[in-house]
Amino acid sequence: MKPHISRRDVLQAAGAVALAPAPVPAAEIPGPRREGPNTPKICLEMGGGGLAAGGIDDAGIRRVKQLGVDYVLTGGPRMPWKEEDLRATRDKLKAGGITLFNMMIGGFPNTIYGRPGRDEEIDKVRQSIRAAGKAGLPVIEYNFYAHRIVEGYYEEAGRAGSSYTAFDYEKVKDLPPLEREGAHNLEEMWANISYFLKAVIPVCDEAGVRMALHPNDPPAPVSRGSQQIMGTVAGWKKLISIVNSPANGITFDCGVTREMGDNPVEVAKYFASRDRINHVHFRNVRVRKPYENYAEVFIDEGQNDMFAVMKELVRNKYRRTIYPEHPRALDYDREHPGFKATYPGGGGYAAFCFNVGFARAMQLAALEAV
């Protein structure tokens, strides 16, 4: 039986619609300047990764857009990438009002360790770069770890029952090398990445794509017998000198910077003023011993002056993505069925809401202040 709708109900509904305020165009919204083509861009991860804020589907797009985020990064497919596959992902996101800005590439262990077969891997990387350029992808992120000693992570109690991701090198400093990786010194690793960069950066320049190398995280002195090229700021500086191109840049991680005992404001200025920051990881830490013992904490309670970092990026006209990553563990996330932390003490979507809100406020305030 259909419900009875009276004339009075119809008039009340019409009146409510008439009284609802019309959306205010972005250009007319008062207050700080808004995010745009020439400003830093807050981003989140999408896809199947453990830190993804949503899948690349309608529901995932809604989750990201509801936070006011218009730019995302994703993990990449198997190499070699194909233009049509990248375009399909880009177009799916674009239809929902989201720009794909950064994609992670991997799958070249022979290149990292200087083994036979690296030339074939590098050729696939070059094919992938060309495909990215044709598909309009601005940035490709990558790692060059001899080993990433995540075995040293553990969960530490945080404020009001939340959790932090902590690291203690003492727990793992004597772990032996893994057979599939071996042990490698700095000279080897610098030779291997130099070979890689000299082969791929000229292709990036032609394709209009930038590379962003993530620093060693954790920045342990030795990781299962291997030294780490990106475990010091001096190493970051050496990296960008190997091939002199803005395409040869870094992922500036202000958390790792403090973990190494350095001031992220000064480090941001050095690399941003040289146009060598191609992606940013925006997070805070408390360091008990540089390189060896620290905890990743909420943005608002660590040793980094996060607002000063944001202002330095704005001051140096940085206009690529800023990822407020590594969400802390909150009860709301942990109570959801199926939730699984990527790192000990890590969180999910609710914690990303906090990160994004905090980063957005700093971004807009910095745009107004600088």
Side-chain angles (χ1 to χ4, degrees):
M1 183 176 183
K2 293 182 179 180
H4 174 71
I5 300 176
S6 69
R7 180 172 180 273
R8 180 180 179 183
D9 292 333
V10 173
L11 291 174
Q12 285 180 334
V17 171
L19 292 174
V24 179
E28 298 177 16
I29 295 176
R33 289 172 286 169
R34 297 180 62 81
E35 182 177 276
N38 296 316
T39 74
K41 299 158 180 55
I42 305 300
C43 76
L44 285 172
E45 180 180 348
M46 293 186 70
L51 288 174
I56 302 176
D57 53 27
D58 291 343
I61 289 171
R62 281 172 58 88
R63 285 165 67 93
V64 171
K65 288 291 290 185
Q66 285 175 355
L67 298 184
V69 173
D70 297 326
Y71 298 86
V72 299
L73 57 97
T74 71
R78 289 174 63 90
M79 297 190 305
W81 295 354
K82 294 179 172 56
E83 178 187 351
E84 56 268 28
D85 294 337
L86 303 186
R87 283 188 179 276
T89 301
R90 184 202 67 178
D91 291 348
K92 172 66 176 176
L93 293 167
K94 186 177 180 180
I98 290 177
T99 298
L100 176 59
F101 206 89
N102 178 341
M103 189 172 277
M104 175 70 75
I105 198 166
F108 42 90
N110 295 325
T111 303
I112 293 173
Y113 301 121
R115 296 171 178 164
R118 68 176 176 178
D119 288 335
E120 290 81 2
E121 290 178 347
I122 289 174
D123 185 58
K124 290 180 180 179
V125 174
R126 288 189 291 213
Q127 291 179 53
S128 302
I129 292 167
R130 293 187 182 102
K134 292 176 182 177
L137 180 69
V139 175
I140 297 175
E141 192 174 11
Y142 69 110
N143 293 310
F144 217 88
Y145 296 114
H147 176 76
R148 187 181 183 191
I149 198 161
V150 295
E151 298 93 329
Y153 284 140
Y154 64 96
E155 184 171 343
E156 181 174 293
R159 68 188 182 198
S162 63
S163 294
Y164 305 145
T165 301
F167 177 77
D168 186 356
Y169 185 56
E170 283 294 318
K171 297 176 182 289
V172 294
K173 66 179 183 180
D174 295 324
L175 290 178
L178 298 175
E179 183 177 353
R180 69 178 182 272
E181 294 174 349
H184 305 272
N185 60 39
L186 284 177
E187 185 178 357
E188 290 178 72
M189 295 303 296
W190 279 121
N192 293 344
I193 199 164
S194 295
Y195 189 89
F196 174 76
L197 291 173
K198 290 174 182 177
V200 303
I201 295 302
V203 179
C204 290
D205 289 332
E206 294 171 4
V209 175
R210 292 181 177 228
M211 300 288 284
L213 177 57
H214 193 285
N216 285 108
D217 182 19
V222 178
S223 188
R224 280 194 179 267
S226 291
Q227 295 177 297
Q228 306 286 2
I229 57 174
M230 290 292 284
T232 64
V233 172
W236 302 2
K237 293 178 179 179
K238 181 172 181 176
L239 176 93
I240 66 170
S241 73
I242 293 172
V243 179
N244 185 19
S245 166
N248 178 28
I250 66 168
T251 293
F252 169 63
D253 190 317
C254 47
V256 173
T257 306
R258 180 62 66 182
E259 291 161 14
M260 299 186 304
D262 289 281
N263 184 340
V265 179
E266 296 174 0
V267 175
K269 180 179 181 179
Y270 181 91
F271 288 94
S273 66
R274 289 161 174 79
D275 194 21
R276 293 305 185 90
I277 298 179
N278 291 338
H279 183 48
V280 171
H281 283 181
F282 197 69
R283 60 181 179 85
N284 215 335
V285 294
R286 288 179 185 160
V287 178
R288 295 175 281 258
K289 184 178 181 181
Y291 297 99
E292 298 188 15
N293 195 298
Y294 58 84
E296 301 180 17
V297 299
F298 289 97
I299 290 179
D300 62 325
E301 60 176 0
Q303 293 166 328
N304 286 341
D305 185 339
M306 302 298 288
F307 186 43
V309 172
M310 185 69 78
K311 287 191 290 185
E312 197 62 50
L313 293 171
V314 170
R315 187 176 291 114
N316 283 279
K317 297 178 171 53
Y318 175 74
R319 54 188 179 88
R320 283 168 286 281
T321 43
I322 294 178
Y323 179 22
E325 57 152 10
H326 289 197
R328 302 277 42 90
L330 300 176
D331 290 345
Y332 189 85
D333 286 323
R334 290 183 292 209
E335 290 164 0
H336 274 66
F339 170 72
K340 183 178 180 181
T342 302
Y343 300 105
Y349 183 76
F352 268 130
C353 295
F354 177 86
N355 285 7
V356 167
F358 222 100
R360 177 71 78 200
M362 291 184 184
Q363 174 205 35
L364 297 183
L367 289 169
E368 187 72 8
V370 173

